[in-house]
Amino acid sequence: MTSSTETGGATGTSDKDYNLIWYVEACLSNALRLESYIQDAERGKDTEVADLFRKAQADSRKGAEIGKGLLRARLNGG
């Protein structure tokens, strides 16, 4: 379901900025959660799963860094 109406008035932050903030937080939260999953896999001696989770964690960190860069530029008026 999509909306053509800007709803940023409720939060005081435009939707596109709010969505970017949410994305960065979700990526960072996912990277943190995956750390626990990596440790679980390592305790179970399952290197295949641990490697999968490490790759996913790296992807989440990369997404967060890209998002932070975009957010930084927008908040600095760039």
Side-chain angles (χ1 to χ4, degrees), residues 2-72:
T2 61
S3 173
S4 61
T5 305
E6 168 71 42
T7 59
T11 64
T13 304
S14 68
D15 285 350
K16 66 181 182 64
D17 293 337
Y18 178 87
N19 294 346
L20 190 52
I21 292 166
W22 173 88
Y23 173 79
V24 170
E25 188 279 332
C27 286
L28 293 172
S29 178
N30 195 48
L32 185 59
R33 182 179 308 109
L34 283 161
E35 186 63 30
S36 295
Y37 297 169
I38 291 165
Q39 292 173 11
D40 289 345
E42 287 175 341
R43 276 192 295 275
K45 309 262 191 266
D46 193 336
T47 56
E48 187 175 28
V49 170
D51 288 345
L52 171 67
F53 291 154
R54 280 190 197 92
K55 182 185 179 318
Q57 186 181 49
D59 290 345
S60 290
R61 287 178 178 155
K62 182 178 178 181
E65 288 305 314
I66 293 168
K68 286 191 298 187
L70 287 171
L71 189 58
R72 188 177 304 110

